[in-house]
Amino acid sequence: MSAFVPAQATAGGLRLALRFALRELRGGLKGFYIFIACIALGVAAISGVTSVSRAMTDGIEGEGQTILGGDIAFRLIHREADASERAYIESLGPTSRVATLRAMARKPDGSDQALVELKAVDGSYPLYGTFSVEGGGTLDDKLAAGPDGVPGALADASLLARLGITVGDSMSLGRSMVRVTGIIASEPDKLSEGLEFGPRLLLSDSALPATGLVQPGSLVNWSYRVRLAPGTSDEATRAQMSEARAKFPDAGWRIQSRANSAPGLQRNIERFSQFLSLVGLTALVVGGVGVANAVRAFLETKREVIASFKCLGATGNLVFSIYLIQVMLIAAIGIGIGLVIGAILPFVAGAALAGVLPIQLAMSVYPVELGLGLLYGFLTALAFALWPLGRAHDIPPTALFRDQVDARRSQPRRRYLLATAGAALSLAAIAILLAHDKRIALVYVGASAASFLLLIAVARGIMMLARRAPMVRSTALRLAIANIHRPGALTPSVVLSLGLGLTLLVALALIDGNLRRELNATLAEKAPSFFFIDIQSGERDAFEALLRQEAADGKIQSVPMLRGRLTKVNGVPSDQVAATPDAAWVLRGDRGITYEATLPANSKLVEGQWWSADYSGEPLVSFDAELAAGLGLKIGQPISVNVLGREITARLANTRTVEWQSLAINFVMVFSPNTFAGAPHAHLMTVTWDPDVSTERELSLLKSVSSAFPTVTTIRVKDALSQVNSIVEQLALAIRSASSITLIASVLVLAGALAAGNRSRIYDAVILKTLGATRARLIFAYALEYAILGLATALFALAAGAAAAWYVITGIMGGSFTLLPATAAGAVFGALVLTVGFGLIGTWRVLGKKPAPVLRNL
């Protein structure tokens, strides 16, 4: 006894606790393997995901010149740079001009056609990187005109497969012919082009005028890439960009530098990384339940040791310190394993994605990202270990020995409760503060915390209902109900271990299912059958007449269409507007705009008044109501847009709701007709047929339009939806695969909880077998217990997951939500299989114990 007292009264008490902790660890890690696996899994997920994200973003930044196609790029829409603008750009260094647009490529006999992403390049392309052709050959030679004057073109292999042609064949493009001279092997600046709806077709810019595709108001993107002097710093590049904006304030161009070569891709990587990091955090929290179970079971095996310590004079502080050190040392093993996996993951991802991504990942070991995983792992272990460790502080030796037959638990001291709460809050604060989108992180963390608390309430509710259940005649069912609510029951551990993982997967499955339903059913009924783009004003009437002849039973809509960039909101430059995350996208890049004399058919006024049909005053604009609120825009305030190099300011006259999900003709901004009087522009038309219209009729219309108006671009909505659906499928598969980490953690925790409960099950089984119970009856009773727990957990997961999915679909995506029966049945079946399966595996081993050794130790 005297050996403990002075040691605890000095700083040497910590050394003594460390010495005892290390001595006890000599017995091995039995009982802590699932603890270690849970921590390692969560840490590996967080550190690995953030490291891969960093490797991708660093790779983009490292290849910024190649992706952008230059050190600086000036982008214009609808128009080319004028003489003064072009002279200024060329004064900065060697320049390359690239034009991109969508067009229709057709077989010479008109029997088939396909939408292509057309790219016209000059002789300086590419300034950076290497453009390669399958089978070799130079770009200049491949794009040169042949002896017959037909220019060459390079195509993606998918275009040749789509049209059934080969290298050497010719095809129509607009009003001219081009010959396919090769297949594109690699395109260095492909990432900078954004979303593509068709295969690439590349030709020389000298061949573009003959196609007739470039007309006043045509939807053409012009990009001027500049190679700056070697050694030009990023600071000097930014200064050059600022000078260009100041010198040509009304140019309306979008200027990018090599440091921001693919902003959309980087944003998507950051968002996906954030989601996966939150999934990893969820796995850690689920694993935390396993930590608590393992610590609790470990302390139960150490009751005699703790009692001996206290009988010899050890204080509660020393006991707590000894076992806290042990737990954190064991957690350090799991954290170390997770960090090793996280450090290796960028190299594995780099090798696996080498043939998929057009960039090279910056494969390295990232200390900051690994440090984040370490911090998450440490706080998780601490948050879930403090509670069970704190209970041992004040329990006297007599209570510890009595605990063998009385499994009631007491709460730890207030300081341990506060420490547990502090660790949990620190975990949540770090997840929110370090998130790319703090609002989503806050919602996610709040929902996880609420689910955790609800699961505890559900477990207690199940136990209360079981306790109050009426007596049943079936012995097996009576035993199952008693096991659910008895002291030391597995109910809380099973419900907590499975609940969060199943809730997350149910939510993701319902979101995925509703998105598919919206794409395949709802949109197929509401969406137009065709979009026709770049209809010139002089062709509009003739084009509409053709549509009314070929699609007399269809609904035809026509609107003027321009592209413009929002430059100011209430006098504030767009890059300084404090927009909400949901509205910030309106300020980036160019937006489609139109003018209308009357309120569009698929819109409803929210605030303000629509202008009269003969209005001729100052320019007015109507704005989407939700986006206007996100920008802080009020009725009567001005906005400015740059269209065709001119900045036009209009006053907000009204806001309106827009049915974006219908895929009908919709615009964020609709102006009064007098705003663009005399401005060159094209028109957009749609044809909406009955969803059951035959493919033959659609293809016949497509052929007629392509033959009569070769410069009009046609988008068949079914093809676009098919491509979007394919993207959604791949994304959903990736998300579900990543989210399975949480389910794996749940399964590990469930297995650990059932294993920890086997000790008491052994005594129960032996006593019941001694009293005459058969193995079959006991297995049936335990199966009923696990089935009831699994069913209750699945029902909670279904309700909570459906609520989360409903919020995402209706609140964030603005769609309609339907509870999908197959998903519900899958959740219930999965929970039952896991709980009954793991439970019976452990029970079978328990029932195999011989009665005599157990009875001798009672």
Side-chain angles (χ1 to χ4, degrees):
M1 176 176 177
S2 60
F4 285 107
V5 176
Q8 293 174 71
T10 66
L14 183 60
R15 290 195 296 270
L16 180 63
L18 178 60
R19 191 162 71 245
F20 275 106
L22 293 175
R23 281 183 179 178
E24 288 205 31
L25 284 177
R26 293 175 184 173
L29 300 174
K30 185 178 180 181
F32 281 100
Y33 295 119
I34 289 177
F35 175 123
I36 293 172
C38 290
I39 293 294
L41 186 66
V43 171
I46 291 174
S47 60
V49 165
T50 52
S51 292
V52 171
S53 173
R54 174 74 181 278
M56 294 182 72
T57 53
D58 283 4
I60 292 173
E61 291 177 3
E63 297 186 32
Q65 292 171 319
T66 301
I67 294 171
L68 188 65
D71 294 299
I72 298 180
F74 298 82
R75 298 178 185 270
L76 289 165
I77 194 165
H78 286 310
R79 72 177 186 91
E80 297 183 60
D82 61 28
S84 61
E85 293 166 343
R86 185 68 185 264
Y88 173 78
I89 294 172
E90 292 178 347
S91 71
L92 302 178
T95 303
S96 173
R97 187 185 70 168
V98 174
T100 56
L101 63 156
R102 293 188 176 98
M104 302 299 295
R106 308 181 307 279
K107 299 180 76 168
D109 59 3
S111 60
D112 201 0
Q113 54 276 312
L115 177 69
V116 296
E117 297 284 348
L118 183 63
K119 184 172 184 176
V121 301
D122 62 11
S124 301
Y125 173 86
L127 293 177
Y128 290 102
T130 302
F131 187 99
S132 60
V133 182
E134 288 187 9
T138 66
L139 187 59
D140 289 341
D141 291 342
K142 294 293 184 180
L143 300 184
D148 55 358
V150 176
L154 296 170
D156 281 341
S158 59
L159 177 60
L160 304 188
R162 168 69 180 80
L163 294 178
I165 60 177
T166 61
V167 174
D169 290 343
S170 296
M171 56 185 175
S172 299
L173 185 67
R175 295 193 175 98
S176 69
M177 297 288 291
V178 295
R179 179 177 292 110
V180 179
T181 55
I183 297 174
I184 299 171
S186 68
E187 184 181 352
D189 56 338
K190 190 176 182 66
L191 278 181
S192 65
E193 306 298 341
L195 180 64
E196 295 181 346
F197 286 97
R200 170 72 74 214
L201 181 65
L202 187 137
L203 74 161
S204 170
D205 64 347
S206 61
L208 184 60
T211 64
L213 296 171
V214 180
Q215 300 290 334
S218 295
L219 193 57
V220 184
N221 289 278
W222 300 92
S223 179
Y224 298 83
R225 289 92 176 266
V226 180
R227 182 202 291 268
L228 297 178
T232 303
S233 66
D234 288 343
E235 290 76 13
T237 303
R238 285 193 292 269
Q240 198 72 68
M241 294 165 64
S242 298
E243 179 186 284
R245 293 189 182 101
K247 193 164 186 175
F248 299 92
D250 298 328
W253 51 30
R254 181 187 177 197
I255 309 176
Q256 284 180 266
S257 75
R258 62 196 177 206
N260 190 29
S261 57
L265 177 61
Q266 287 178 309
R267 282 193 298 270
N268 289 333
I269 290 172
E270 289 172 351
R271 288 168 182 157
F272 197 60
S273 173
Q274 174 182 336
F275 169 77
L276 295 182
S277 296
L278 291 173
V279 168
L281 179 59
T282 305
L284 264 178
V285 172
V286 171
V289 179
V291 170
N293 290 340
V295 173
R296 189 179 300 112
F298 173 69
L299 290 176
E300 287 179 0
T301 66
K302 294 295 181 179
R303 283 184 298 220
E304 293 83 358
V305 177
I306 295 173
S308 300
F309 279 155
K310 291 197 170 185
C311 288
L312 293 173
T315 65
N317 286 339
L318 179 63
V319 171
F320 175 81
S321 299
I322 290 172
Y323 291 103
L324 177 62
I325 290 172
Q326 285 192 50
V327 168
M328 298 316 295
L329 287 174
I330 295 170
I333 297 174
I335 292 172
I337 294 172
L339 292 179
V340 170
I341 297 173
I344 293 173
L345 206 55
F347 298 92
V348 176
L353 299 176
V356 178
L357 293 178
I359 59 168
Q360 181 70 35
L361 269 66
M363 293 178 286
S364 181
V365 175
Y366 297 98
V368 174
E369 283 69 22
L370 297 180
L372 182 63
L374 185 150
L375 182 60
Y376 274 129
F378 172 78
L379 287 175
T380 301
L382 195 62
F384 285 90
L386 284 174
W387 185 292
L389 286 171
R391 282 206 325 264
H393 185 283
D394 294 321
I395 302 177
T398 53
L400 286 170
F401 285 118
R402 188 168 59 247
D403 214 21
Q404 293 180 2
V405 293
D406 185 2
R408 289 175 297 180
R409 297 290 186 257
S410 60
Q411 286 189 352
R413 288 189 175 192
R414 179 178 295 180
R415 65 186 182 190
Y416 298 119
L417 296 178
L418 293 176
T420 300
L425 290 174
S426 297
L427 202 60
I430 292 171
I432 294 169
L433 293 175
L434 298 181
H436 172 70
D437 189 328
K438 293 179 175 54
R439 184 180 64 90
I440 292 178
L442 180 62
V443 170
Y444 192 98
V445 170
S448 297
S451 297
F452 193 82
L453 294 175
L454 280 172
L455 284 168
I456 295 175
V458 167
R460 292 182 176 176
I462 294 171
M463 296 176 73
M464 182 189 70
L465 291 174
R467 193 177 298 112
R468 297 182 179 181
M471 186 68 69
V472 293
R473 296 186 61 183
S474 170
T475 304
L477 182 57
R478 192 161 63 247
L479 179 60
I481 293 173
N483 282 340
I484 288 173
H485 69 79
R486 70 176 186 173
L490 293 174
T491 304
S493 297
V494 171
V495 173
L496 280 173
S497 60
L498 272 184
L500 277 178
L502 279 178
T503 298
L504 178 63
L505 288 184
V506 166
L508 292 175
L510 287 174
I511 291 171
D512 174 38
N514 276 274
L515 285 177
R516 292 172 186 272
R517 179 186 59 82
E518 193 78 18
L519 284 172
N520 297 329
T522 308
L523 284 182
E525 295 176 1
K526 296 181 179 179
S529 304
F530 287 96
F531 279 86
F532 301 99
I533 303 173
D534 281 345
I535 305 169
Q536 298 302 307
S537 296
E539 297 177 331
R540 181 194 173 284
D541 293 341
F543 191 88
E544 184 174 354
L546 175 64
L547 292 185
R548 296 197 180 281
Q549 176 184 337
E550 296 289 333
D553 54 341
K555 178 182 177 183
I556 300 172
Q557 285 185 290
S558 174
V559 296
M561 181 178 176
L562 301 92
R563 299 286 293 185
R565 185 167 61 87
L566 194 58
T567 57
K568 292 178 184 176
V569 177
N570 195 25
V572 179
S574 58
D575 57 355
Q576 299 176 22
V577 174
T580 62
D582 292 339
W585 62 271
V586 179
L587 304 173
R588 296 190 293 262
D590 301 293
R591 303 270 75 84
I593 55 179
T594 189
Y595 58 85
E596 289 276 5
T598 58
L599 179 69
N602 56 345
S603 298
K604 294 181 180 178
L605 280 182
V606 174
E607 188 179 4
Q609 299 294 325
W610 197 265
W611 44 82
S612 61
D614 58 351
Y615 177 78
S616 60
E618 67 172 320
L620 299 176
V621 64
S622 173
F623 217 91
D624 175 89
E626 291 185 5
L627 294 173
L631 298 178
L633 190 58
K634 308 291 184 183
I635 298 295
Q637 292 180 342
I639 67 166
S640 298
V641 293
N642 190 291
V643 181
L644 295 170
R646 291 179 52 205
E647 184 165 274
I648 297 173
T649 300
R651 182 172 54 84
L652 183 65
N654 60 72
T655 59
R656 69 196 193 286
T657 60
V658 180
E659 296 180 4
W660 296 109
Q661 62 271 26
S662 69
L663 284 191
I665 298 177
N666 291 305
F667 293 87
V668 172
M669 293 172 280
V670 178
F671 289 82
S672 56
N674 61 313
T675 306
F676 300 108
H681 61 270
H683 292 263
L684 166 69
M685 285 192 188
T686 62
V687 169
T688 306
W689 259 325
D690 186 277
D692 297 327
V693 69
S694 66
T695 302
E696 289 73 16
R697 283 204 66 189
E698 290 186 333
L699 295 179
S700 174
L701 174 62
L702 182 59
K703 184 176 180 180
S704 298
V705 168
S706 297
S707 299
F709 298 91
T711 61
V712 172
T713 300
T714 306
I715 298 177
R716 186 171 179 242
V717 174
K718 285 183 180 178
D719 294 336
L721 287 179
S722 176
Q723 183 172 354
V724 172
N725 197 35
S726 175
I727 295 172
V728 170
E729 284 182 5
Q730 296 174 24
L731 186 60
L733 177 61
I735 289 175
R736 284 200 300 270
S737 299
S739 301
S740 63
I741 294 172
T742 303
L743 189 60
I744 293 171
S746 298
V747 171
L748 286 172
V749 175
L750 175 65
L754 294 173
N758 283 343
R759 183 181 180 187
S760 59
R761 293 295 168 112
I762 291 173
Y763 293 112
D764 294 344
V766 166
I767 295 297
L768 291 172
K769 286 171 69 177
T770 303
L771 294 176
T774 63
R775 175 177 290 194
R777 179 166 292 184
L778 289 176
I779 288 177
F780 182 58
Y782 289 141
L784 283 175
E785 175 191 353
Y786 300 136
I788 292 171
L789 292 179
L791 181 61
T793 305
L795 291 176
F796 168 82
L798 182 61
W806 168 84
Y807 172 76
V808 171
I809 292 292
T810 61
I812 297 178
M813 297 183 177
S816 59
F817 176 79
T818 300
L819 183 62
L820 305 174
T823 301
V828 173
F829 179 75
L832 290 176
V833 168
L834 289 172
T835 50
V836 175
F838 277 97
L840 291 183
I841 290 172
T843 300
W844 185 266
R845 189 166 59 88
V846 166
L847 294 177
K849 293 287 184 180
K850 300 295 182 182
V854 177
L855 291 173
R856 278 197 299 268
N857 291 323
L858 288 177

